[in-house]
């Protein structure tokens, strides 16, 4: 393991150990007609007909977990290159397309220096060449990044003679353009390696065509702050709080008693029905715009009762209408 890898996500603070392993899986293309890359392209160097590759670019903030994400993708069957200069992205993809490479991932960050505009242009050129480039943007809160760097006493690559937080802020500004084009945002502030793996595995489904939209329904507590990676936020605090019922207080929204109490409240069912109609309007638009990953955040005061029960129900209803959906609970157990 290199020193840069250790700086990326210290295991003792980030909960993202670098030696995690998992079963390898196959990633499918976006077509519903099978995996486009099943047939290897011609190896004739004179041929201009190149089969499209699945290309994933992992980028984001230093210390947020890019290298860990790259290792997860490697376990999923991707050929992964770390610290690839943006200018070499297209030549590497084209070289792989002439061989038997079908899935390619590159970890690209500010260590490459010539970064943001070059990376955006390289991704545009790959799309024009018929490949399928997707961007995974990995980030974390400032206080988490500072703790991770201080744990192994390394300098931020943009820190220079200033403070650590100055380097982090400079990097955030540099990444603004590419962050806005990301297909998948992953906030690792509160994730361990298993949760990060589950997030990426749900995004790159094994054995078959990837769904048009993959939804994560995330419960949270407003008193702990809004999730940074939420696309949509709904507020469950209009429902009575089970916290004030002594027999329900120690339970969570996963328990049947709490779930039945929350979903049985006046307007709870109507709220779910009406918001599902909103999602039915939004999802086709997301598909048309090429957005493949949706995070619906459901909040209550502490993230223990109402938001958990509502998130579980949203995930169930989305799955029932053919959307690949899973529920995650950010703040469950914090109280």
């Amino acid at each position: 393991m290199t020193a840069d890898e250790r700086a990326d996500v210290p295991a003792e603070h980030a909960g993202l150990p670098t030696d995690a392993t998992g079963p390898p899986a196959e990633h499918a293309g976006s077509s519903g007609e099978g995996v486009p890359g099943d047939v290897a392209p011609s190896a004739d160097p004179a041929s201009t007909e190149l089969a499209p590759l699945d290309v994933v670019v992992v980028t984001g903030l230093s210390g947020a977990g890019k290298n860990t994400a790259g290792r997860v993708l490697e376990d999923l069957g991707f050929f992964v290159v770390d610290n690839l200069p943006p200018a070499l992205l297209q030549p590497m993809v084209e070289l792989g397309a002439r061989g038997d490479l079908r899935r390619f991932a590159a970890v690209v960050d500010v260590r490459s220096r010539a970064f943001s505009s070059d990376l955006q242009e390289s991704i545009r050129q790959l799309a024009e060449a018929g490949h399928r480039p997707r961007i995974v943007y990995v980030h974390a809160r400032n206080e988490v990044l500072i703790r991770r760097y201080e744990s192994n006493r390394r300098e931020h690559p943009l820190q220079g003679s200033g403070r650590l937080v100055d380097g982090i802020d400079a990097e955030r500004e540099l990444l603004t353009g590419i962050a806005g084009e990301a297909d998948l945002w992953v906030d690792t502030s509160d994730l361990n390696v298993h949760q990060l793996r589950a997030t990426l595995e749900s995004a790159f489904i094994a054995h078959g065509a990837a769904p048009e939209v993959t939804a994560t329904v995330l419960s949270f507590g407003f008193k702990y702050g809004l999730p940074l990676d939420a696309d949509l936020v709904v507020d469950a605090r209009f429902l009575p709080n089970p916290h004030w019922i002594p027999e329900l207080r120690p339970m969570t929204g996963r328990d049947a008693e709490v779930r039945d109490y929350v979903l049985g409240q006046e307007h709870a069912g109507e709220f779910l029905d009406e918001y599902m109609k909103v999602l039915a309007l939004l999802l086709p638009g997301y598909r048309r715009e090429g957005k493949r990953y949706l995070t619906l955040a459901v909040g209550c005061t502490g993230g223990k009762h109402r938001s958990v029960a509502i998130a579980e129900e949203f995930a169930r209803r989305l799955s029932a209408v053919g959307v690949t959906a899973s529920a995650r609970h950010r703040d469950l157990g914090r109280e």
Side-chain angles (χ1 to χ4, degrees):
M1 186 188 306
T2 66
D4 286 328
E5 288 175 326
R6 288 193 298 271
D8 200 40
V9 184
E12 63 271 27
H13 287 290
L16 302 176
T18 59
D19 60 350
T21 58
E26 295 295 323
H27 170 57
S30 57
S31 168
E33 301 176 358
V35 182
D38 279 345
V39 180
S42 169
D44 180 3
S47 172
T48 59
E49 296 296 325
L50 299 177
L53 265 66
D54 282 323
V55 180
V56 176
V57 175
V58 180
T59 189
L61 297 171
S62 300
K66 296 185 299 296
N67 288 334
T68 303
R71 286 187 287 274
V72 173
L73 289 174
E74 190 171 25
D75 289 341
L76 293 176
F78 284 80
F79 180 85
V80 180
V81 177
D82 181 32
N83 196 20
L84 183 69
L88 295 182
L89 181 58
Q90 186 175 15
M92 285 289 292
V93 170
E94 291 178 349
L95 181 64
R98 292 188 181 278
D100 59 358
L101 193 64
R102 300 274 53 83
R103 292 172 295 276
F104 177 84
V107 179
V108 183
D109 58 32
V110 294
R111 289 177 292 168
S112 301
R113 301 301 178 183
F115 176 70
S116 184
S117 60
D118 288 352
L119 179 55
Q120 289 173 282
E121 177 64 16
S122 295
I123 290 171
R124 183 187 65 80
Q125 292 174 354
L126 286 174
E128 290 179 350
H131 300 289
R132 298 182 293 275
R134 283 168 286 174
I135 304 171
V136 175
Y137 183 79
V138 184
H139 65 114
R141 299 189 298 270
N142 273 21
E143 64 269 22
V144 176
L145 296 174
I146 291 171
R147 187 171 67 245
R148 291 175 184 175
Y149 268 98
E150 288 181 345
S151 70
N152 59 8
R153 302 179 182 179
R154 290 185 56 83
E155 291 186 354
H156 189 279
L158 297 185
Q159 180 175 349
S161 58
R163 299 177 304 157
L164 175 57
V165 70
D166 296 331
I168 294 172
D169 289 341
E171 187 176 33
R172 284 192 191 276
E173 183 176 355
L174 181 64
L175 290 166
T176 299
I178 197 67
E181 298 181 5
D183 298 279
L184 175 64
W185 276 48
V186 181
D187 183 358
T188 68
S189 300
D190 301 304
L191 296 185
N192 59 39
V193 69
H194 306 294
Q195 293 167 327
L196 175 58
R197 178 177 296 279
T199 298
L200 293 176
E201 286 178 346
S202 69
F204 302 102
I205 300 296
H207 304 302
E212 291 179 304
V213 176
T214 297
T216 298
V217 189
L218 178 68
S219 72
F220 71 96
F222 277 97
K223 70 180 183 179
Y224 301 115
L226 289 171
L228 296 178
D229 50 351
D231 298 297
L232 302 168
V233 177
V234 297
D235 188 351
R237 291 176 296 181
F238 72 96
L239 297 170
N241 192 348
H243 174 82
W244 302 114
I245 300 178
E247 60 268 28
L248 298 182
R249 182 177 300 175
M251 300 181 185
T252 75
R254 284 177 162 175
D255 292 308
E257 295 88 343
V258 175
R259 181 186 66 240
D260 293 344
Y261 175 84
V262 172
L263 299 183
Q265 294 300 313
E266 184 180 6
H267 302 311
E270 183 181 356
F271 163 73
L272 287 160
D273 292 340
E274 295 301 316
Y275 206 85
M276 284 297 296
K277 293 178 183 178
V278 173
L279 293 174
L281 293 174
L282 292 177
L283 289 173
Y286 284 155
R287 295 186 187 105
R288 287 192 299 270
E289 294 301 312
K291 182 175 178 61
R292 301 179 62 185
Y293 315 106
L294 167 68
T295 299
L296 168 61
V298 183
C300 65
T301 303
K304 179 179 180 181
H305 295 114
R306 293 166 290 180
S307 62
V308 173
I310 294 293
E312 293 278 350
E313 181 64 13
F314 266 130
R316 187 192 67 78
R317 292 188 179 208
L318 286 167
S319 298
V321 297
V323 177
T324 299
S326 61
R328 276 182 42 215
H329 307 294
R330 190 192 73 176
D331 298 324
L332 196 60
R334 294 186 70 167
E335 289 188 342

